[in-house]
Amino acid sequence: MSLLKINGLTHQFGGLTAVSDFSTEFHGNELMGLIGPNGAGKTTVFNIISGFYKPTEGKIMFKGHSISGMKPHSVTSLGVARTFQNIRLWHDMSLLDNILISQHYNLGYNLFDLFVRNRRYMDNEKRMKSIAIKLLEQLDLVQFIDEQPKNLPYGIQRKIEIARALSVKPSLLLLDEPAAGLNSSDVQELIKLIRWIHKEFDIAIWMIEHQMAVVMSLCSWIQVIDFGKTIAQGTPEEIQNNPAVIKAYLGDDKI
Amino acid sequence: MLLEIKNLYVKYGNIEALHGISFNVDKGEIVTLIGANGAGKTTTLHAITRVPPPEGSKVSGGDILYNGKSLLNVPAHLIVSDYHIALAPEGRHIFGNLTVEENLKLATYSRPDDESLKRDYERVYTLFPKMAERRYQRSETLSGGEQQMLSVSRAIMTACNFILLDEPSMGLSPLLMYDMFRVLKQLNEEGMTILLIEQNANLALKFAHRGYVMDTGEIVASGTAGELLNNPEVKRAYLGG
Amino acid sequence: DDTIKIGFNIPLTGEIPKVGEESKFAGQMLLNEVNAKGGIDVGGKKYKLEFIYEDNESKAESAVAVSLKLIEKDQVLAMVGPNSSKQAIPAGQVANDNRTPMISPWSTNPDTTKDRPWVFRAAFIDPFQGPIAVDFAIKTFKAGKAAVLYALANDYSKNLAEIFQADFKKKKGDGAIVAFESYGDKDQDFSAQLTKIIAAKPDVIFLPNNYNEVALIVKQAHDLGWKGPFMGADAWGNSELMTLCGDDCKGHYFTTHYAAAGAKGATKEFIDKYQKLFGYQPADVAALTWDAINVVLAGIQNAGKLTGNIRKDRQAVRDGIAAIKEVKGITGNMKFDEQGDPIKCAVVVKINDAGQFEFAESVCP
Amino acid sequence: MFDSIIQNIFNALQWGSFYSLIALGYTLVYGVLRLINFAHGDIFMVGAYIAYFIAIFFFKGSPALSGTTTLALVIPLTMILTAVFGVTLERIAYRPLRRKGANRLYVVITALMCGLILENGNLAFLGASRKSFPELIDKVVYNFGMISMTNLKIGVILSSIIVYFILNTIISKTKIGMAMRGISYDKFAIPLMGIPIDTIIVVTFILGSSLAGLAGILFAMSYPILDPFMGAIIGWKAFIAAVVGGIGDIKGAFVGGFLLGIVEILVVAVFPSTFRDLIAFSILLMILVIKPTGLFGVAKSTKI
Amino acid sequence: MKKFSVPALFIFIAVGTVVAAHFEMIDLYVQTIIMFIGVNIILSSSFNIINGYMGEFACGHAGFMAVGAYVTSILNVMFFTSNKTFGDPILSPELALWFFPVTMIIGGIAAAITGVLVAIPSFKTRDDYLAIITLAANFIIVSLFINMDTLGGPRGFMGMKQVLFAMEDVVFIPWMLIWTFTFTYLVVFLIRRFVSSTYGKGIIAIHQDEIAAEIMSVNTDKMKLVAFMFSSGLAGIAGGLFAHILGYINPNSFNILKSTECLVMVYLGGMGSLSGSIIAAILFTLLIEMLRFIIPAADTLLHFIPLIPDTFHLSQVLKWVIIPFILVILMQFRPEGIMGNRELSDFFPKLKKYYEFK
Ligand SMILES: Nc1ncnc2c1ncn2[C@@H]1O[C@H](COP(=O)(O)OP(=O)(O)OP(=O)(O)O)[C@@H](O)[C@H]1O
Ligand SMILES: Nc1ncnc2c1ncn2[C@@H]1O[C@H](COP(=O)(O)OP(=O)(O)OP(=O)(O)O)[C@@H](O)[C@H]1O
Ligand SMILES: [Mg+2]
Ligand SMILES: [Mg+2]
């Protein structure tokens, strides 16, 4: 059984077909890239998978469950986590709380336990906290644990968003332009980070990115879409030399 | 000298973000500011365009001279309408509830309705054909890159002589990014002065005449683009190699 | 100590500030008069009066807080007010529980005084006023069919409307009330209700409403083509009615406590003095407050003497009020039944062409 | 029966006109600042009082002008003075808060408080007596069979329609209108377009408050009894109407106002009148449940 | 002893007040004010769940209060007193003492169920559209009670004093004061537990970014349902207490004006600050009562100086000019409310030695 299988996915906004007949498959823990011109429908694909839009047509199977039309939080609970093109952290809460709240998929206690503060409540709160701290330690973020994200540098915020996504213990991590707004040296760090996460957590990663340096050095397989349709897919080398991709997306770098 | 920043100090509340920076931009130049995240690049542009609090910051020392005149006491909207300085801000800040066309029209708020206006519309629509195509779409439903184009187009439409760009390539596809830099080059050749902030320092330095490197609220290096590209310090710290 | 403290629990703000104002003015007038004469004589000793006016904001909970403040903090001997039943009912409970005599000038809901030996009132109650209006309408307008428009959220209005309805049905048959319509709090447009009422072709429209609403209703009814008579109740009796309503209200009738136009004797004297001091003709609530205070004073004098022990004195005053044989009031002479409700006459007045409230008929129990 | 229906439709149109006029002012300010100006109902009340004092001065006072001349003076003067009033309120109460970057709900609460100050300040300084608005124009009742109409009612309905069309043109066609809409979405970028933000906001308050002034005049003529609290409930309800129409949208406010008027009147015409609020609000609630952004409101689609 | 410092302080105050009240060292007026403060604390802190922590703009809190007030009053009057609507008591009046808290909780549950009415539309609606739904719900609930003639309609409902007498007949101590203290503490206690848990913080996440919350596995619909039910349930308890303190209720006591007072207290205290809500409730209640004394005192003073003419008197009407004016000024100085979204211990770090908000 494949991890994620998308078949004939189509999505329309009013009259505009943002995604049309899109298919893909994750067999195991690949690291794949999704690229394409602006407005091609990449983010829309992610939004559909994470349950934010209900697709007009098509099937999405994740670990054997059909997830099209599921609520976002249920999709996440099944093991799909994501980051956003524009950072969406809870900026007025501490970093720790940001990570803790993402444990909602597995609280382990109910309202009654909460009000009486019984054993179950205490144990689970402790468990979640230790998960969060461990994760922050792994990602070298633990020194910011009491800070509010809004007060942290942009590069760190990007990293926190990834940490938050990891805290739901995903099997598939969707990254929407993780390098956007990062400077060249931060980008190098990010590449290392993603490679490390892929190995350490042993999860599938699918990313949208416009910085070719990132995509080409990380992804084993790249899919290119334009106007919602797949125009090419293949290894980085194949994509880089594909004339259709060059014409629609890569261009030539003469200024 | 068209723009001269003299020993500028800027504060957010009690936190000082710029600790006395000085630089200048000549007429017809393309100058780039590069540097790490949080170095104070955006803060500098906001200070020049006088973005008012609470979004903005407070200048606590130094001066900003434009054609020899201080901008410090000029209200933000006059910077655009009287001094013809435009900013394509970080984070785009398009008017999502207006259509693409209305966004552009709003940018011409203080312009008379004349020939040059028509020419600018045409220019924007030819530079960014996507904008013409999406003319009647509510702009909040544009994709990220499309919004970026709109933001730059809007800055061009305000009929400026001097344009400040805050990470214009953010979120753009490579093709579009090159296209946009070509457009900017063309504008520059037509006489527009450009101050550019870019994360992709390599690209920015290839494109600009001169550059300044900022770090934690200070200018740490400056020179022509070529000098900076070959400066080993700069290379190591900011060019990712 | 030679002052007697009386507390006023009145709506100076909120929905009916005018009512509070008139109560307060009546109080001030009486206070000045009595104190100018050196105070009142109780058991051979002269006591000066001291009145404390507290605002209950036209809210039930404030009326309770005010009652407690007057009773506990200010240690008043007796309390006058609140005026509307919404506040008088809970405040009455407080007064009764804390054994302080209270007299509401204006509340007409039976619950205010019911089973509360410490609570009295100066106005007659609704079950008495309603049938008078019915009889008068049947007799004067030869009414066989009537319509009612009342304020839903105003318990006074609703109560009276229901009493009128029941009594009219009893006298003229079940179908005699052809329209029974209501409106909400602070409404200003009544056209839909009036359209319905006019379409039902009643002989008379009964409006047990506050004067300000009456002015709007009457005008709007005329706009919608109504030419028949209106019958009102005591809440019409406000000096402002005519400034607000103008010609539209002339020729209509209402039941009330006293008729200002053509008033004689003490009543006229009161009206003239009030008008001179405050610039407008006092409404019934001013007159009733005046009477209510006089009832309290009569009670105090009945008590014989004051000991200075507030608990004992309050008890004595309560007994004094209950034992009143008859007080000559400007709204008629009254004595109290076992519930603390006054036994007094009602009058029907006509609004004459000069806009004055003219005596038409008096009905006594 | 048929007569009653027609009559009620006219009643509803007149009543709805007032909701519409007030809702338009609400929506205008909301559309620009995302500020629920809870004082708007009270600005309407202030408008009515201003109209009253001007009318008394010219009509009953020493100039002793004729009714129509007075009215011709009352309308522009009231609108101007009410606008001045609204702008002053913005200046002293809302602007400083905005400048400090306060959460918009704090501005809303401030508006609520200003409303209370206006109501009770009026009560404290003008006294508890209600004011009676003089009859400036001779009322003419037209009777068509069982149906009655007055010249005033027709005037009110026409005014609200005209106002709507003027306002709609301003908002959708002019640059100022565009700037107003732009501000609501992104205040930061407005000065970057060379637009003086404070001027636009002042213009908004001028428009909104002068509309409240106009509504005040028309209301005072139709329901000639003024009291300090006259704006409270009608203000709340007009706000509800504006939201049901789709708040921030001019058409929404206009239609919403009439809708509420019609629903209120028709509910009374059909059901026992005691159920008016119950049924009317349930209907509005239902509309919002089915269409969560109101009749004409566009969902702000957040890009993610 | 961090854990017990706050309860200990509270018990000290509560027991002190009750004992003082019992021996008539503080009078009924002061007692009533103290009870109103309690009710207002419950109202503002429960409203803060929705308007502060969750960041919605609801404005119909009084509606839920009404449901609680009516349900508890009816239950108590029906079961423990003889009344003309419900006839003889169903249970022996002595039992009132034991069942009183139960009826309070039933009233709370009833209000919570009504809260669902508002919660379900809130799944799809946000912002000011939700404001309208709550406002309309408030109008509808009040209108419903006005139309219920068996409950007195606009005339209101009474008889709750008899319930109190029934309790006092068993043991003569100031019962309402005790109940108010108990429930106020309980409510604040529960809210604190709720908002400091990972579960409860889900609503803060909804406030800051609902989309992110939903995508990070917070079941936003469920959280909203819980928050609305919790908040309106607590408002119902406040209503129950209010009804029994007053001994009389009336639908118009729960109209928009009452909701407005709740709004004022929440924003005055600061959105998402529990200590802010408590402080604001105390200040607001005291301010209203103090002005009863301040205005006449100021009047006397001004006449004494003499600054104003003899004939002119400062009237109580000014109270409702002064209160909003003070609030407007306060907002200008603290545009985030008294406490912002912080707690007392964040302001005075020394307090952390004695108590912790978590
Ligand atoms: N809510 C919406 N309503 C209408 N159209 C939309 C909506 N969201 C997206 N679109 C349109 O769908 C298309 C695809 O958008 P999407 O955000 O998926 O692009 P993208 O591939 O992520 O582009 P970018 O690289 O610029 O982020 C765009 O043309 C956009 O205008
Ligand atoms: N509104 C604000 N309030 C407080 N501090 C701020 C604010 N905006 C920026 N800062 C601080 O000022 C410093 C400079 O920020 P600025 O946004 O100018 O950096 P930048 O160079 O543009 O960074 P980036 O590359 O991330 O855009 C940073 O330390 C930042 O945290
Ligand atoms: Mg995208
Ligand atoms: Mg920046």
Side-chain angles (χ1 to χ4, degrees), chain A residues 16 36-39 85-86 154-155 177 180-186 188 210 212 247-255, chain B residues 35-37 130 134 143-146 167 170-176 178 181-182 199-201 203 207 237-240:
Chain A
L16 184 96
N38 295 111
Q85 190 166 350
N86 303 311
Y154 190 83
E177 301 197 26
L182 295 187
N183 67 22
S184 313
S185 53
D186 284 349
Q188 297 307 320
H210 287 303
M212 286 307 108
K247 180 159 178 292
Y249 182 65
L250 291 175
D252 52 83
D253 59 353
K254 284 192 208 77
I255 296 176
Chain B
N37 293 115
K130 255 282 162 29
R134 294 293 163 85
S143 83
E146 290 162 350
E167 303 189 25
M170 174 154 161
L172 288 193
S173 75
L175 177 73
L176 264 178
Y178 300 134
F181 276 105
R182 260 181 230 123
Q199 293 295 356
N200 189 336
L203 182 72
F207 168 72
Y238 303 101
L239 302 180

Side-chain angles (χ1 to χ4, degrees), chain A residues 4-255:
Chain A
L4 175 76
K5 190 171 161 69
I6 299 179
N7 230 331
L9 190 68
T10 299
H11 189 73
Q12 284 169 334
F13 292 109
L16 184 96
T17 307
V19 179
S20 102
D21 198 19
F22 179 89
S23 304
T24 200
E25 187 166 359
F26 274 76
H27 296 282
N29 293 341
E30 294 102 327
L31 205 171
M32 302 219 289
L34 179 62
I35 62 174
N38 295 111
K42 306 178 295 294
T43 302
T44 309
V45 169
F46 275 20
N47 285 347
I48 295 170
I49 296 172
S50 47
F52 199 70
Y53 296 137
K54 197 173 153 53
T56 320
E57 262 173 61
K59 256 173 75 179
I60 311 173
M61 301 294 288
F62 182 74
K63 290 183 183 165
H65 304 267
S66 166
I67 58 169
S68 52
M70 240 187 211
K71 291 235 157 219
H73 69 90
S74 321
V75 176
T76 310
S77 308
L78 278 178
V80 182
R82 70 173 286 179
T83 63
F84 299 91
Q85 190 166 350
N86 303 311
I87 294 179
R88 300 194 90 113
L89 289 167
W90 298 301
H91 280 286
D92 287 329
M93 279 193 272
S94 70
L95 171 55
L96 179 64
D97 282 346
N98 267 274
I99 305 291
L100 277 179
I101 288 167
S102 317
Q103 304 287 319
H104 257 245
Y105 76 102
N106 183 21
L107 283 169
Y109 61 81
N110 59 28
L111 262 183
F112 175 77
D113 299 329
L114 183 163
F115 284 135
V116 299
R117 287 226 169 143
N118 57 15
R119 191 74 212 205
R120 192 135 66 118
Y121 171 83
M122 292 309 227
D123 288 350
N124 277 298
E125 283 281 339
K126 217 180 276 163
R127 173 183 59 79
M128 291 187 279
K129 194 162 173 186
S130 65
I131 290 178
I133 290 179
K134 176 154 172 258
L135 185 70
L136 292 177
E137 275 167 354
Q138 277 180 311
L139 289 174
D140 202 14
L141 287 168
V142 82
Q143 71 267 35
F144 304 120
I145 196 156
D146 289 323
E147 301 264 7
Q148 295 174 344
K150 67 173 178 198
N151 296 328
L152 293 171
Y154 190 83
I156 303 290
Q157 291 187 18
R158 281 267 176 219
K159 200 166 165 187
I160 293 175
E161 228 193 7
I162 295 175
R164 189 178 66 172
L166 285 174
S167 76
V168 304
K169 287 222 162 65
S171 347
L172 171 64
L173 176 63
L174 308 176
L175 300 175
D176 195 350
E177 301 197 26
L182 295 187
N183 67 22
S184 313
S185 53
D186 284 349
V187 169
Q188 297 307 320
E189 298 242 331
L190 181 80
I191 293 174
K192 276 185 223 148
L193 178 73
I194 294 176
R195 193 171 284 143
W196 178 79
I197 289 172
H198 186 226
K199 230 175 58 211
E200 177 77 20
F201 290 82
D202 194 25
I203 54 175
I205 298 181
W206 196 9
M207 78 166 136
I208 299 175
E209 187 48 71
H210 287 303
Q211 297 199 23
M212 286 307 108
V214 180
V215 182
M216 297 300 168
S217 66
L218 280 173
C219 301
S220 55
W221 190 258
I222 296 169
Q223 188 164 4
V224 189
I225 59 173
D226 192 11
F227 292 109
K229 290 199 188 66
T230 306
I231 57 168
Q233 46 189 322
T235 61
E237 293 74 40
E238 285 163 12
I239 294 299
Q240 256 164 329
N241 299 316
N242 184 321
V245 179
I246 294 178
K247 180 159 178 292
Y249 182 65
L250 291 175
D252 52 83
D253 59 353
K254 284 192 208 77
I255 296 176

